[in-house]
Amino acid sequence: MGDGEQNGNGGPDSSSVPGPDATAPEISPAGRKRPIPEAHKHIEVNFCKTPGCENFGVPPRKGPIIKGPGTKGQDRYKVAGHGKGTSALICAACGKGTRLKSNQAVYEEFERQSAYLFVPHPLSCPDESCINHRPTKESLKTAFRRYGKTKSGSDRWQCRECKKTFALGKPSVGHKKPHLNIRAFELIVNKVPIKRMAEILDISYTSLYGKIDFLYDQCRLFAASRESQLRQMEFKRLYLSTDRQDYLINWGDRSARKTIQLTAVATADQRSGYIFGLTPNFDPSVKPDDLEQQWHAAGDASKRPHMRDCARLWTEFDYRMSMARAGRLGEDAVAPARDDLDAPELLDLGQQLPKNGVQVHADYLMHGHYWFLRSLTHGAEKLRFYIDQDAGLLHACLGAFTDKVLNRQADVVQVDIQKNLTIDQRKNAHGKAKRWFEGERTRFPGMKDNVIRTAILAERIAAAREASKAERGKLQDVWLEYPFPDMAEPGKKLRFVTDLDDYDDRHVANLLMKGSLWPVDMVFNRIRRRMSMFERPVQSVRRARRMWHIYAPYDAAMVEKMLTIFRVWHNYVWVDAKAKKTAAEKLGMAEGKVRMQDIVYFDTRSKL
C-alpha cells in the first residue's frame, strides 16, 4: 500500500479517528473561505467498519501489507480487487471488508450539502479585485457606508476602499407580481401541478419557474439562519431515522426517451419529526462538458474508482460501463433494486444521465449526508441512529461517527421491515401478535404494557447472547424479530450493530424498542401526497398498463428545489394535528408556527 491508494484520493495519512469538532477557517476546494469543523478537515472513511474490532476506526498506513496478525503499530489490512474495478479494504483482524472511497470526494459532497449554511454577507463590494469584495467580520464595521436610496427605494451603499456604490434591494425586487409569491408557495405544497399553478396564478410558465427559483433561494436563506445555530444547541438525546427515496425525471428529448433516476436521503428526528437534510444525488453547479474535460485532464480513465479526481460524479465513462453491464443482461433488463448504496449503481438501458448538471454517485451522497449530520448534531450528548437495511447507509454512518461510537455517544441499529405485505397480511400479523401479547400479560401481573414489552424483549436479547458464538459483540450479526408488530411496520427485525457487550439487556431492549423508520417514511409519504412532481406513477390502460409518471419534472434541478421548499415548509409551517406544534417548535428551533410570508420575504439585510 505504499502508493497510498488505501486512503483514497486526497485523504490524509491518519492513524486515528477524527478528533473533537472545532471551528477553524479553511479555503475550500471551490475557493470560498468558510469555517470548517476540525474533524471535517481530516475526513477519513477507509477503515474497518466492525465495532469492537481492534481496527475499527483505524485507517491503513502507508507501507507494506502485513499478512496475518502482524505486529503492533503495523498495517493490518489488505486490498482486494484488481484492475480498474471497485477495490475493497479487508481487515486482517476480523476478516470483514468495506469498499474503498475517495476521502476528497466525501469532503466535496459534504461541502455541497452544507453549502447553504454559509450564506455570504449581503454587504459585498461588486469589484472582485477590491479587498471588501469578501469582507471579514471585523472589517464590516468600517468597510461600507450608507449612500442614500435608489429611485425604487432600495438602500444604496458605498465601499470606503474603492468608492464604488451598489444597491441592496428587497428579496422580491424586480418581481412584477410579488403578491403571488406566497400563493405560489401554498400551491406547491398542496399538490397543484405546474400547469394548474400557472392557470390559477394567471402567469406564464417562465414567470412561474422564476417564482419557484425565488422560493427555493428564500427557503435556503431562511433554513440557514436557523440551522446554522444547531451546533450551539444542546440535546440530551437525538433518535434519528434514515431512509431513502427515488425520483424519476422524464425525458426532454423524443429522440432519447430515457428517464433519469435520482435518489434522495433524509434523516428525521423521531420525537419532533424535524427533517435533517433532504438532498438528492444531483449537483447543478457542475456542467457535464466541464466534468468530461476534468476527467480526461486528470487521467481518471486509468485509475481505480476511489482514486479518481472525479470519483464523486457520474461521467460518460461510468455510464458506458453501466450500459455495457446492463446490455449483457439483455435488452429488456431492468436495473436491480438499489439494495446497497455502497455498491456501484447499475443503470438499465432505459435510463440516462442528466443533460444539465451532473449526477452524484449514491454512495458519496450517503457519506456526505452523515458528515453533514455530524456538523449539525455537535451539541447532542447521545445519538441513536435507526437506519434501513443497507450496507451503504451503515458504512456511511459508521464512517462519520466512529469516534462517537467508541466513546459510547452514538449507537446504530438497522431496521428491516416487510414492506411488500398486503393490507390483509398486515392485519393478520397484527391480530396474531395482539393475541399472543394478551397471553404474555399473565406473566407480568400489574405491570404496564410498555414495561412488559421491554421485559419480553430483554428476555429475547439474553437468549440471543447465550446462543451467539461470538466472543464479543454478540448481537452485532443477530437479527432479532420484533415481537410486537404493528400495521405500519409489519415483520420488523432489528440488528444492534454497535453492540460492545457493555450495555445490560434492559438497556439494549429500551434502545431497540425505539427502532423504527416510521418518522422518515412518513416524511416520504407526505412528499408523495403533497408534491405533484413526486406523485406515484399511474397505469396506462391503453398501453398495456405501463407506468406513466405524468407529473414528473423534465429538469433534474427541480427535484432539489422542490424538496428544499417542502423541507422548510414541513419543519416550520406544517402543524402536527396531535401535538398542535410544528417540527421546529418541538425540537426547540422555533417558538411557534412560522408564517409563510416570514419565509418568502426573509431578508438577510435585517442583520445590518
Side-chain angles (χ1 to χ4, degrees):
M1 290 188 206
D3 60 358
E5 73 169 3
Q6 70 277 14
N7 282 333
N9 186 25
D13 180 21
S14 172
S15 59
S16 61
V17 296
D21 291 31
T23 300
E26 180 171 287
I27 300 295
S28 71
R32 296 184 299 274
K33 191 170 185 178
R34 60 173 58 173
I36 296 295
E38 185 68 25
H40 300 154
K41 293 167 59 179
H42 304 290
I43 283 180
E44 172 60 72
V45 299
N46 296 314
F47 47 74
C48 179
K49 301 294 196 313
T50 305
C53 176
E54 59 189 83
N55 286 338
F56 178 60
V58 181
R61 297 179 180 179
K62 293 180 180 179
I65 302 172
I66 304 298
K67 296 183 179 180
T71 58
K72 186 177 181 180
Q74 291 181 309
D75 197 356
R76 301 191 62 192
Y77 293 94
K78 63 179 179 180
V79 175
H82 302 284
K84 300 177 183 178
T86 303
S87 300
L89 192 67
I90 308 300
C91 174
C94 67
K96 296 184 178 180
T98 177
R99 287 183 175 87
L100 285 165
K101 306 296 178 186
S102 166
N103 297 311
Q104 177 63 26
V106 173
Y107 173 83
E108 290 171 357
E109 182 59 18
F110 155 73
E111 188 179 54
R112 180 183 78 89
Q113 295 187 30
S114 61
Y116 76 97
L117 293 173
F118 303 93
V119 181
H121 197 278
L123 284 180
S124 173
C125 180
D127 187 351
E128 295 185 3
S129 63
C130 179
I131 192 174
N132 289 332
H133 180 62
R134 291 178 179 174
T136 64
K137 185 180 294 186
E138 293 74 19
S139 66
L140 277 172
K141 299 176 182 179
T142 58
F144 306 97
R145 69 185 183 93
R146 293 185 181 273
Y147 204 72
K149 292 182 177 293
T150 65
K151 292 182 179 180
S152 62
S154 299
D155 294 328
R156 185 178 292 280
W157 294 78
Q158 184 182 52
C159 173
R160 294 183 185 272
E161 182 68 24
C162 66
K163 307 305 180 185
K164 286 188 178 294
T165 60
F166 57 95
L168 285 181
K170 295 180 179 180
S172 58
V173 65
H175 288 215
K176 293 183 178 180
K177 298 181 179 180
H179 59 284
L180 296 180
N181 293 330
I182 296 176
R183 183 59 174 155
F185 197 167
E186 293 173 339
L187 296 176
I188 287 173
V189 296
N190 280 284
K191 209 173 183 179
V192 179
I194 291 293
K195 189 173 183 179
R196 300 287 88 78
M197 275 192 267
E199 290 180 0
I200 293 171
L201 298 176
D202 193 23
I203 57 177
S204 66
Y205 289 116
T206 300
S207 296
L208 178 57
Y209 283 118
K211 290 190 178 299
I212 292 174
D213 290 343
F214 168 73
L215 292 173
Y216 167 67
D217 291 336
Q218 289 301 107
C219 284
R220 281 168 58 92
L221 289 172
F222 179 84
S225 70
R226 300 296 180 99
E227 295 178 350
S228 60
Q229 306 301 317
L230 265 173
R231 283 179 53 82
Q232 285 71 49
M233 294 182 63
E234 296 182 358
F235 301 97
K236 186 70 175 177
R237 280 178 175 80
L238 285 177
Y239 297 90
L240 305 174
S241 300
T242 303
D243 206 347
R244 56 193 170 92
Q245 190 173 59
D246 292 335
Y247 305 104
L248 287 186
I249 314 299
N250 281 324
W251 59 79
D253 186 353
R254 291 181 179 273
S255 62
R257 297 191 176 189
K258 295 184 177 183
T259 59
I260 300 167
Q261 180 171 313
L262 300 183
T263 296
V265 178
T267 295
D269 176 45
Q270 286 194 7
R271 291 174 172 172
S272 66
Y274 194 93
I275 308 173
F276 293 95
L278 180 56
T279 309
N281 59 331
F282 177 75
D283 191 340
S285 67
V286 181
K287 296 180 180 179
D289 290 343
D290 293 342
L291 174 61
E292 292 306 312
Q293 291 180 9
Q294 182 182 351
W295 161 269
H296 290 292
D300 278 357
S302 62
K303 301 176 184 177
R304 294 187 182 185
H306 66 281
M307 294 296 294
R308 295 170 182 167
D309 285 18
C310 306
R312 181 176 67 97
L313 306 173
W314 272 88
T315 63
E316 282 297 324
F317 178 85
D318 295 329
Y319 180 71
R320 290 196 302 271
M321 293 299 100
S322 182
M323 290 300 100
R325 292 196 298 270
R328 289 193 291 269
L329 297 177
E331 288 294 328
D332 297 326
V334 177
R338 296 182 184 182
D339 294 328
D340 183 1
L341 283 180
D342 200 39
E345 307 103 305
L346 176 60
L347 303 186
D348 63 45
L349 298 176
Q351 293 176 317
Q352 62 179 323
L353 296 179
K355 301 301 181 184
N356 299 310
V358 295
Q359 193 164 330
V360 177
H361 284 293
D363 49 350
Y364 287 104
L365 168 76
M366 194 69 257
H367 279 278
H369 177 81
Y370 275 109
W371 280 97
F372 173 61
L373 284 183
R374 181 184 175 108
S375 71
L376 293 181
T377 59
H378 176 67
E381 182 179 330
K382 299 283 186 180
L383 292 165
R384 302 291 182 253
F385 294 100
Y386 300 94
I387 63 179
D388 191 18
Q389 184 188 7
D390 185 295
L393 290 165
L394 177 60
H395 289 173
C397 184
L398 292 174
F401 292 93
T402 308
D403 56 326
K404 294 185 181 294
V405 170
L406 290 172
N407 295 333
R408 309 315 279 144
Q409 293 177 274
D411 277 303
V412 182
V413 175
Q414 280 190 306
V415 183
D416 181 29
I417 300 169
Q418 297 181 20
K419 299 181 179 180
N420 296 324
L421 296 182
T422 64
I423 293 295
D424 289 338
Q425 290 173 326
R426 294 183 184 217
K427 287 181 178 180
N428 290 336
H430 184 257
K432 183 179 179 180
K434 189 175 181 180
R435 291 189 295 272
W436 169 82
F437 185 67
E438 288 296 331
E440 287 294 297
R441 271 202 183 104
T442 60
R443 295 199 296 124
F444 305 90
M447 292 187 182
K448 294 182 179 180
D449 284 356
N450 61 330
V451 178
I452 296 175
R453 290 189 177 94
T454 302
I456 294 174
L457 194 56
E459 290 176 351
R460 298 199 172 198
I461 290 169
R465 289 191 190 277
E466 186 68 25
S468 177
K469 297 180 180 180
E471 295 182 3
R472 192 181 181 193
K474 296 180 181 296
L475 300 177
Q476 286 184 12
D477 295 323
V478 177
W479 283 94
L480 290 168
E481 183 177 351
Y482 190 71
F484 320 108
D486 54 35
M487 291 289 290
E489 296 182 319
K492 182 162 61 177
K493 295 181 180 179
L494 304 165
R495 184 164 82 96
F496 184 25
V497 177
T498 52
D499 177 36
L500 299 180
D501 292 339
D502 55 347
Y503 294 161
D504 61 43
D505 295 340
R506 186 169 291 274
H507 187 161
V508 177
N510 285 324
L511 186 67
L512 297 185
M513 285 291 291
K514 293 181 171 62
S516 173
L517 300 178
W518 179 248
V520 68
D521 286 345
M522 279 300 296
V523 168
F524 287 144
N525 288 335
R526 202 164 288 127
I527 288 174
R528 298 288 193 196
R529 296 170 186 168
R530 286 279 187 168
M531 310 290 283
S532 64
M533 282 190 180
F534 308 129
E535 173 63 279
R536 297 185 184 279
V538 296
Q539 288 185 337
S540 173
V541 178
R542 295 178 59 189
R543 299 191 177 188
R545 295 193 177 277
R546 291 180 180 176
M547 305 305 288
W548 184 24
H549 294 263
I550 183 173
Y551 295 123
Y554 291 88
D555 182 2
M558 288 297 292
V559 174
E560 181 175 351
K561 293 175 183 178
M562 288 300 196
L563 290 180
T564 298
I565 292 172
F566 171 85
R567 189 176 80 88
V568 172
W569 170 84
H570 177 276
N571 285 343
Y572 294 93
V573 181
W574 180 74
V575 177
D576 184 351
K578 291 183 179 180
K580 296 184 179 180
K581 292 182 179 180
T582 65
E585 194 175 356
K586 287 186 281 185
L587 188 66
M589 296 284 291
E591 295 182 355
K593 176 182 176 180
V594 177
R595 299 180 307 169
M596 277 191 171
Q597 54 262 41
D598 292 336
I599 299 173
V600 173
Y601 298 115
F602 177 76
D603 193 350
T604 56
R605 300 181 313 157
S606 60
K607 298 181 180 181
L608 298 180

